[in-house]
Amino acid sequence: MTAAAAEPKPAKASAVRSLPTPLERFFREIGRFFHILRRVLTWTFRPPYDFRQLFQQMVRVGVESVPVVLLTALFTGAVLALQTFTTLARFGAERWVGSLVALSMLRELSAVLSGLMVAGRSGSAMAAELGTMRVTEQIDALEVMATDPVHYLMVPRVWAATLTLPLLVTIGDLVGIVGGYLVAVVLLGSNPVAYTESTFQFMELNDLFSGVIKATAFGLLIGVIGCQKGYYTQGGAEGVGRSTTQAVVLASISILITDFFLTKLLF
Amino acid sequence: MPVDGSAESRAESRAESRAEGHAGGPSGAHVEGSDIQIRVRGVSKSFGAKNVLDGVDLEVLRGESLVVIGGSGSGKSVLLKHLIGLLQPDEGTVEVDGVPLGSLSSRELTDFRRRFGMSFQEGALFDSMTVGENVAFPLRRQTLLGKSEIHHRVQECLELVHLEGVEGKMPSELSGGMRRRVGFARALAVEPEILLFDEPTTGLDPITTAVIDEVILEIHRATSSTSVTITHDMASAFRIADRVGMLYGGRIVALAPPEDFRTLEDPRVQQFLQGLTDKQMASSHRGPAHRAAGRTPIEP
């Protein structure tokens, strides 16, 4: 046998065939998402239970995201009050500003905006961390040491995002309402008592719960997508960058789409 | 490092296996009657359009140190990852002690990997952990040892690779050679039956390379485990190998003990050994050696 005969066979035709179409890529991503989700749920109930990792991730996803979520909620509530006050004042309905700000924050804005901020902050971090571990063979090393990467890396991250985002959103609700109050009362001179009364006049517990349910779903999406994009990273530093970007884009789009369907379902 | 009774019996078995394996002749690809621990049969693997492995046949004897050489991109790492089930072949089978890895569920495969230790090209140390935590990691995950026992074992493993006193350092504070030795220590921690070394000396200076080779030999002597090393460093391969195999064009084209391997007349082996370009090889083929070049130890 000659050296030339032993060369790898060129396969141009299969090279063309192997390029996935956008539709194939779409279904591959969907398949991977549910594959990872199923494995995370399966591994969650198998020992050993690594609570230290879970708490570590909860600090990184939750506690360290508090400032950015608070700022987002504060200024969203403030700008909402500013916009609606000037608009509603045109037909003398400015006394409803409090209700409008509170319900908007609770039912919609706090969950969606906090979700988008955490997707940008923590979803990208998960993709970058796991992606780097993938390209530096650290994930292979885990598997070699009889440790399932889904169990060790993904279970704590996915649960950390799923559990902490509702808490962040609840804090965001409160801060958003405070932001609206400050603008309406301090800046625009509304009556504080009337504004506070208006804030709670139409509020139901269900409004709070709907935001929390949405936040739980968004947390799950951020965790699974961040881990999924990192886990399937290919191609060195460039690949890590690509995965990180894709994780943020995919998680953000998923949040917006899921928000629509959950809103339809919950109200 | 304590060598228990099972390790001693493995050492004896290794000596017997070597004797039988070498008796099979310099080609030694199929060593009938020997104690074969890993058997690779017709393994093919493609990534997209590229056929990386194209029907690899290989048998690894219990207790031997097998080194697989080959050029960059020849599929050595891919072959090594098949041995531990990190990659699944498109065709063919990999058997360890008669158990086909492809027949195991993902959970069974995870458990099966407890028998292996693997050191990666750049160490693949967890950069968020200290050296000590890295070496302790498999002990914490795979054993029921207490804190003090784990600490003791970590010290032993680090001593074996001549890295005493670095357990508090982070991987980023270590040189390339040190990181690889920490990788060895981590692979050794649970006393695996089979050790896999992925390019342990690539990119290191000759002195550090010699140190790494010496460490591998010491590990081999102390643990009597079976080891498979892949490298393109010839000096290193000849220092540590019981048998050397060459991967070329997706197949094992030569396999022999080091002293026989050097004298093989296969042009692919000689080109690799002498570090010749295709052009230089073609001009050397015009000489008398060319006529003998058709004789290859294994016809793939």
Side-chain angles (χ1 to χ4, degrees):
Chain A
M1 181 173 177
T2 64
E7 288 289 342
K9 297 160 198 159
K12 280 187 182 171
S14 65
V16 174
R17 271 202 311 276
S18 69
L19 286 175
T21 64
L23 195 66
E24 282 171 338
R25 280 205 300 272
F26 173 75
F27 283 112
R28 188 183 62 195
E29 292 300 327
I30 298 278
R32 283 177 173 176
F33 175 86
F34 284 105
H35 176 67
I36 295 283
L37 180 62
R38 184 185 64 80
R39 289 185 66 190
V40 165
L41 294 178
T42 311
W43 275 106
T44 297
F45 303 102
R46 287 185 188 164
Y49 306 107
D50 200 340
F51 290 108
R52 190 168 144 258
Q53 274 276 339
L54 177 66
F55 287 128
Q56 237 172 36
Q57 290 302 323
M58 285 175 82
V59 169
R60 288 172 69 176
V61 177
V63 177
E64 291 176 13
S65 296
V66 167
V68 74
V69 168
L70 289 191
L71 276 174
T72 307
L74 183 74
F75 282 97
T76 305
V79 85
L80 201 61
L82 199 60
Q83 286 280 11
T84 52
F85 191 93
T86 49
T87 310
L88 293 178
R90 290 179 192 175
F91 34 90
E94 61 267 38
R95 67 195 172 100
W96 302 117
V97 169
S99 294
L100 201 145
V101 170
L103 292 179
S104 303
M105 289 306 297
L106 258 65
R107 293 166 67 142
E108 190 66 42
L109 289 174
S110 182
V112 172
L113 294 177
S114 300
L116 293 176
M117 297 311 286
V118 173
R121 199 189 161 276
S122 303
S124 62
M126 287 179 202
E129 195 178 354
L130 267 65
T132 306
M133 289 185 77
R134 166 63 75 196
V135 300
T136 55
E137 295 185 308
Q138 291 178 52
I139 289 183
D140 286 343
L142 274 177
E143 291 190 60
V144 166
M145 289 185 281
T147 300
D148 193 293
V150 172
H151 194 198
Y152 184 72
L153 297 173
M154 297 189 199
V155 168
R157 282 169 175 77
V158 170
W159 281 111
T162 310
L163 294 173
T164 52
L165 197 57
L167 298 174
L168 286 171
V169 166
T170 309
I171 300 169
D173 288 340
L174 187 69
V175 173
I177 290 169
V178 170
Y181 178 90
L182 290 176
V183 167
V185 174
V186 179
L187 203 66
L188 302 171
S190 287
N191 183 308
V193 177
Y195 186 89
T196 310
E197 196 183 307
S198 157
T199 297
F200 295 102
Q201 192 174 358
F202 299 105
M203 196 187 288
E204 293 172 10
L205 209 54
N206 191 36
D207 297 321
L208 178 69
F209 286 155
S210 64
V212 169
I213 290 168
K214 281 182 179 181
T216 309
F218 298 162
L220 187 73
L221 283 171
I222 292 166
V224 175
I225 291 171
C227 290
Q228 170 195 344
K229 297 310 293 184
Y231 185 73
Y232 289 106
T233 297
Q234 284 180 324
E238 193 189 343
V240 175
R242 207 168 31 240
S243 293
T244 309
T245 310
Q246 286 175 355
V248 176
V249 172
L250 207 61
S252 303
I253 290 172
S254 306
I255 284 172
L256 295 173
I257 294 171
T258 309
D259 180 52
F260 170 78
F261 288 106
L262 281 177
T263 305
K264 193 102 177 73
L265 208 73
L266 291 167
F267 301 107
Chain B
M1 167 179 270
V3 180
D4 60 18
S6 63
E8 280 171 18
S9 65
R10 284 213 302 269
E12 284 168 23
S13 158
R14 178 187 165 200
E16 286 164 19
S17 300
R18 273 192 196 179
E20 288 171 21
H22 290 185
S27 59
H30 301 284
V31 267
E32 298 299 335
S34 297
D35 188 4
I36 294 163
Q37 187 152 35
I38 304 173
R39 191 192 299 270
V40 179
R41 281 183 183 158
V43 164
S44 298
K45 183 74 179 178
S46 301
F47 294 102
K50 187 169 170 58
N51 299 325
V52 179
L53 300 180
D54 188 17
V56 171
D57 290 308
L58 182 66
E59 282 155 0
V60 185
L61 306 179
R62 192 177 305 280
E64 79 165 333
S65 169
L66 176 75
V67 175
V68 178
I69 60 167
S72 300
S74 61
K76 302 186 297 295
S77 293
V78 172
L79 175 61
L80 202 70
K81 286 179 178 175
H82 276 85
L83 301 186
I84 196 168
L86 285 176
L87 290 173
Q88 299 300 325
D90 297 336
E91 284 173 42
T93 57
V94 177
E95 290 175 14
V96 178
D97 285 328
V99 178
L101 297 187
S103 70
L104 301 176
S105 68
S106 88
R107 205 173 175 188
E108 287 169 336
L109 188 60
T110 300
D111 287 338
F112 200 76
R113 288 195 184 116
R114 290 171 199 269
R115 302 173 61 180
F116 288 85
M118 183 169 175
S119 124
F120 290 84
Q121 197 167 340
E122 298 295 335
L125 302 179
F126 303 128
D127 39 28
S128 57
M129 297 180 191
T130 63
V131 167
E133 287 168 341
N134 264 283
V135 180
F137 185 87
L139 295 167
R140 281 208 223 100
R141 301 289 298 188
Q142 297 178 34
T143 70
L144 297 171
L145 295 177
K147 265 187 180 176
S148 63
E149 289 162 300
I150 287 178
H151 178 73
H152 182 66
R153 180 72 189 141
V154 167
Q155 300 290 331
E156 271 182 352
C157 292
L158 287 173
E159 272 172 34
L160 192 63
V161 297
H162 307 301
L163 279 177
E164 299 90 342
V166 299
E167 58 268 34
K169 287 185 186 287
M170 297 303 286
S172 57
E173 296 174 71
L174 305 179
S175 68
M178 288 166 87
R179 272 203 296 274
R180 286 178 211 202
R181 281 189 280 160
V182 175
F184 294 174
R186 188 175 67 180
L188 284 171
V190 287
E191 300 189 64
E193 287 172 56
I194 303 165
L195 278 164
L196 307 177
F197 297 102
D198 185 0
E199 307 258 15
T201 58
T202 299
L204 299 178
D205 66 84
I207 295 167
T208 312
T209 298
V211 171
I212 295 271
D213 290 344
E214 192 53 43
V215 167
I216 291 176
L217 284 170
E218 281 177 29
I219 290 169
H220 204 57
R221 278 195 291 267
T223 63
S224 73
S225 51
T226 306
S227 71
V228 180
T229 307
I230 60 162
T231 185
H232 53 244
D233 182 339
M234 293 310 305
S236 183
F238 288 128
R239 270 197 291 262
I240 63 176
D242 290 331
R243 288 193 301 159
V244 180
M246 182 172 174
L247 189 65
Y248 185 93
R251 296 181 186 190
I252 297 288
V253 294
L255 186 62
E259 57 276 19
D260 298 330
F261 194 88
R262 288 177 207 272
T263 59
L264 293 176
E265 288 173 344
D266 186 308
R268 295 162 294 194
V269 174
Q270 286 307 320
Q271 181 179 11
F272 197 80
L273 289 178
Q274 295 169 38
L276 299 176
T277 63
D278 287 342
K279 199 174 171 185
Q280 289 168 326
M281 197 61 194
S283 60
S284 76
H285 272 194
R286 293 187 199 107
H290 178 53
R291 285 186 289 279
R295 286 196 288 129
T296 55
I298 302 167
E299 194 62 36

